[in-house]
């Protein structure tokens, strides 16, 4: 059987990256809220070169909690930790009372630039949960289990290569497309009309040692990116639609799109659609979250929802839904890798009012993070300030406000949510070539996070180069 174009594209996404290009110049700042600048461009303790193999260096397999993966020589090897080596913890460091800051309680203020080492480790650790979702999904269209989970809940993390997490999977998650298919589609191959597919899982931390290090019991919801044909089609449904299904919200949305929380139509469809008696992704998330809150609600608890690409968008919707449904006290955090835009300005405001924390990991060279729609600066303070200025400046601002209103009514104006850690493939001397697939790949994101130092010195290899120059008499 000839592989489908979707399978071929997924295979391209999964291929290994060659790592031989020369060092690129530093260009990209890192976060939306600047931190105080460093007196020296790079920390001298962060000077060891990163791995020559992205795909192998970020493995967590069979490494003791007291050891580290040394990012060197193109393989995942264990070594004792030391302050002079550039290493990545395979289990969480001891976060103690600082865990709420790492989870974004203060919007990661002072932790992103330069990137805090504990936060770096946590971002990569949650990225591993998403990688486990990818490894567990059947990508071969000719397989009878296409788009289903290849492993049982009990063995999923172990068989996908992440055996030392301290978490236990409690629920599998499925997403369903709401696209109405024409009758002739029944004569097409089954992979084309696959409406419901396995998209991730819920895992609860059960290891007492890990709970002690984290400072609380953590719940992870991990979601993979696009796989099936209908998921691709849902991604293309990029117009905004009211988030709430009640008639009042819909009527408000019909008259004033800027005041009603709205999200991308395709993402909302995948989150809320059902097939027959099968529950929607929303139903599964609500049911399992409610059960977990009832079981563990009397102890320190956090929900960390993480995903890549489409999974990042669905993670944002799930976080919003959990806070809206349960009005819960546990901190709900989204760790998003290469996610597209999800909703409008009103949706962003509702997320902030809820207290939902979102950290978006963005590669400047990844086109998916710039889609869908477009963004207009909605800084009302600036509009009010300039609106009181004498003509012609005041008239110009009124004209711009009018244009902005027209654009918002088109249902194509989005807003970026949460805080941003901005990286760039061009800053890494180990990313060879430049193409869409490699820039969007999850392993590229983990490689860039592992190598990032600060906006002054975006990659560790640059740190070493500057250190060597500073030592020359």
């Amino acid at each position: 059987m000839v592989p489908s174009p979707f399978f071929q594209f997924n295979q391209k996404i999964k291929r290994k990256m060659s790592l031989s290009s020369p060092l690129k110049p530093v260009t990209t700042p890192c976060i939306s809220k600047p931190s105080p600048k460093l007196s020296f461009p790079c920390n001298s303790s962060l000077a060891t070169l990163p791995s020559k193999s992205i795909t192998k260096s970020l493995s967590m397999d069979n490494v003791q909690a007291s050891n580290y993966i040394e990012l060197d020589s193109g393989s995942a090897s264990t070594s004792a930790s030391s302050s002079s080596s550039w290493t990545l913890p395979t289990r969480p460091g001891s976060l103690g009372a600082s865990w709420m800051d790492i989870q974004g309680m203060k919007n990661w203020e002072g932790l992103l630039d330069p990137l805090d080492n504990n936060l770096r480790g946590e971002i990569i650790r949650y990225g591993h949960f998403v990688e486990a979702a990818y490894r567990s999904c059947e990508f071969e269209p000719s397989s009878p289990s296409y788009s289903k989970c290849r492993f049982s809940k009990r063995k999923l993390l172990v068989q996908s290569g992440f055996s030392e997490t301290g978490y236990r999977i409690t629920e599998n998650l499925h997403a369903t497309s709401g696209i109405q298919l024409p009758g002739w589609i029944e004569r097409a191959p089954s992979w084309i009309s696959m409406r419901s597919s396995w998209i991730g899982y819920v895992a609860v931390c059960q290891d007492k040692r890990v709970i002690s290090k984290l400072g609380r019991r953590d719940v992870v919801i991990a979601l993979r990116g696009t796989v099936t044909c209908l998921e691709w089609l849902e991604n293309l449904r990029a117009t905004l639609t009211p988030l709430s299904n009640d008639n009042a919200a819909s009527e408000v949305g019909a008259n004033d799109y800027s005041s009603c929380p709205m999200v991308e139509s395709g993402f909302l469809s995948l989150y809320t659609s059902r097939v027959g008696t099968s529950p929607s992704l929303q139903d599964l998330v609500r049911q399992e979250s409610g059960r977990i809150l009832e079981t563990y609600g009397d102890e320190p608890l956090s929900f960390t929802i993480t995903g890549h690409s489409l999974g990042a968008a669905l993670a944002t919707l799930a976080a919003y839904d959990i806070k809206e449904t349960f009005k819960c006290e546990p901190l709900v955090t989204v760790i998003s890798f290469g996610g597209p835009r999800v909703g409008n300005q009103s949706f962003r405001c509702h997320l902030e009012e809820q207290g939902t924390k979102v950290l978006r990991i963005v590669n400047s060279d990844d086109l998916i993070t710039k889609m869908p729609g477009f963004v207009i600066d909605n800084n009302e303070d600036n509009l009010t300030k300039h609106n009181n200025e004498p003509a012609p400046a005041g008239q110009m601002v009124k004209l711009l406000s009018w244009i902005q209103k027209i654009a918002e009514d088109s249902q194509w104006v989005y807003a970026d949510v949460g805080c941003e850690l901005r990286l760039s493939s061009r800053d890494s001397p180990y990313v060879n070539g430049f193409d869409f697939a490699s820039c969007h790949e999850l392993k590229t994101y983990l490689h860039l996070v592992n190598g990032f130092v600060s906006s002054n010195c975006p990659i560790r290899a640059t740190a070493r180069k500057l250190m060597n120059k500073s030592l020359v008499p």
Side-chain angles (χ1 to χ4, degrees):
M1 179 176 178
V2 179
S4 72
F6 302 100
F7 175 68
Q8 293 175 5
F9 181 82
N10 282 325
Q11 292 297 90
K12 183 181 179 183
I13 289 287
K14 289 293 179 181
R15 74 175 187 268
K16 294 183 180 179
M17 299 163 55
S18 57
L19 310 171
S20 59
S21 67
L23 186 66
K24 301 294 192 305
V26 175
T27 57
T28 309
C30 149
I31 56 172
S32 54
K33 293 184 178 181
S35 298
K37 298 297 181 182
L38 301 178
S39 58
F40 187 74
C42 298
N43 191 328
S44 60
S45 66
L46 312 181
T48 303
L49 287 171
S51 172
K52 295 181 181 179
S53 171
I54 296 174
T55 41
K56 293 184 180 179
S57 65
L58 295 174
S59 171
M60 292 167 54
D61 305 359
N62 303 319
V63 183
Q64 298 301 319
S66 60
N67 291 341
Y68 292 76
I69 295 173
E70 184 174 337
L71 301 180
D72 190 24
S73 304
S75 64
S77 60
T78 59
S79 65
S81 61
S82 66
S83 60
S84 61
S85 63
W86 193 255
T87 55
L88 169 67
T90 62
R91 279 199 175 191
S94 183
L95 302 180
S98 67
W99 73 265
M100 297 187 77
D101 293 337
I102 298 298
Q103 289 292 109
M105 177 58 76
K106 298 179 181 178
N107 295 316
W108 296 280
E109 184 176 351
L111 300 178
L112 296 175
D113 192 6
L115 183 59
D116 179 82
N117 248 358
N118 282 331
L119 178 57
R120 181 199 319 280
E122 289 296 274
I123 291 172
I124 294 176
R125 189 171 69 89
Y126 288 120
H128 288 156
F129 285 106
V130 182
E131 178 65 23
Y134 273 116
R135 295 183 186 181
S136 301
C137 185
E138 178 57 72
F139 285 88
E140 174 54 63
S142 62
S143 170
S145 59
Y146 173 59
S147 80
K148 295 181 173 60
C149 185
R150 298 162 55 213
F151 312 124
S152 67
K153 288 191 294 185
R154 186 172 64 87
K155 296 182 178 180
L156 188 152
L157 291 173
V158 174
Q159 291 186 290
S160 61
F162 303 101
S163 58
E164 299 293 328
T165 64
Y167 288 70
R168 180 172 59 84
I169 293 179
T170 61
E171 184 64 273
N172 283 310
L173 301 176
H174 297 80
T176 301
S177 169
I179 294 177
Q180 298 300 313
L181 300 174
W184 58 262
I185 206 74
E186 295 179 0
R187 297 189 296 271
S190 59
W191 59 265
I192 293 180
S193 58
M194 183 70 66
R195 293 192 62 185
S196 184
S197 57
W198 183 87
I199 199 166
Y201 57 86
V202 181
V204 180
C205 186
Q206 302 288 1
D207 190 309
K208 292 182 179 180
R209 293 173 300 171
V210 177
I211 292 174
S212 177
K213 286 186 175 182
L214 290 175
R216 85 285 185 191
R217 187 185 298 273
D218 186 41
V219 179
V220 168
I221 300 177
L223 302 167
R224 60 157 176 80
T226 307
V227 170
T228 69
C229 177
L230 290 184
E231 287 172 0
W232 282 106
L233 292 178
E234 291 283 25
N235 289 342
L236 299 178
R237 298 173 62 190
T239 55
L240 291 162
T241 189
L243 184 60
S244 175
N245 289 327
D246 60 67
N247 294 329
S250 298
E251 290 176 3
V252 172
N255 297 313
D256 186 0
Y257 293 113
S258 62
S259 64
C260 175
M262 304 179 77
V263 296
E264 203 245 31
S265 302
F267 301 153
L268 186 62
S269 172
L270 285 169
Y271 188 66
T272 59
S273 297
R274 302 179 180 88
V275 173
T277 58
S278 299
S280 66
L281 176 57
Q282 181 182 57
D283 295 332
L284 294 170
V285 168
R286 287 181 175 181
Q287 290 168 12
E288 187 61 14
S289 298
R291 188 194 68 79
I292 290 170
L293 287 170
E294 184 177 349
T295 305
Y296 304 110
D298 58 347
E299 60 182 273
L301 188 68
S302 67
F303 281 78
T304 308
I305 313 176
T306 183
H308 171 249
S309 193
L310 168 64
L314 296 177
T316 305
L317 291 180
Y320 177 91
D321 192 39
I322 289 172
K323 293 291 282 188
E324 281 293 296
T325 302
F326 300 102
K327 309 295 182 183
C328 53
E329 295 183 5
L331 188 57
V332 177
T333 302
V334 176
I335 305 294
S336 159
F337 297 93
R341 297 169 185 143
V342 179
N344 65 353
Q345 173 78 5
S346 180
F347 175 67
R348 179 172 74 179
C349 292
H350 276 70
L351 278 174
E352 293 171 352
E353 290 169 1
Q354 285 180 335
T356 303
K357 305 301 179 181
V358 180
L359 178 58
R360 293 180 297 110
I361 319 300
V362 174
N363 182 352
S364 296
D365 304 310
D366 182 1
L367 293 177
I368 294 299
T369 63
K370 301 174 175 62
M371 299 165 62
F374 53 92
V375 173
I376 294 179
D377 183 12
N378 282 333
N379 193 323
E380 296 181 359
D381 291 338
N382 286 341
L383 287 177
T384 303
K385 175 182 177 181
H386 293 294
N387 202 36
N388 296 326
E389 292 182 358
Q395 295 297 325
M396 179 59 69
V397 170
K398 290 180 180 179
L399 175 61
L400 293 175
S401 299
W402 177 77
I403 294 174
Q404 176 176 318
K405 180 64 168 60
I406 295 297
E408 288 172 345
D409 289 345
S410 72
Q411 302 180 56
W412 276 86
V413 178
Y414 284 74
D416 292 321
V417 300
C419 299
E420 180 180 276
L421 175 61
R422 183 164 288 273
L423 312 167
S424 175
S425 293
R426 299 176 190 270
D427 290 329
S428 174
Y430 302 100
V431 178
N432 185 37
F434 183 83
D435 62 83
F436 166 77
S438 64
C439 289
H440 187 57
E441 191 179 38
L442 176 60
K443 285 188 173 65
T444 300
Y445 274 86
L446 298 184
H447 164 70
L448 294 175
V449 170
N450 185 56
F452 183 78
V453 178
S454 71
S455 57
N456 289 337
C457 182
I459 217 74
R460 292 171 188 167
T462 311
R464 181 167 186 169
K465 184 175 180 180
L466 291 174
M467 284 290 298
N468 290 339
K469 283 185 177 181
S470 68
L471 294 175
V472 175

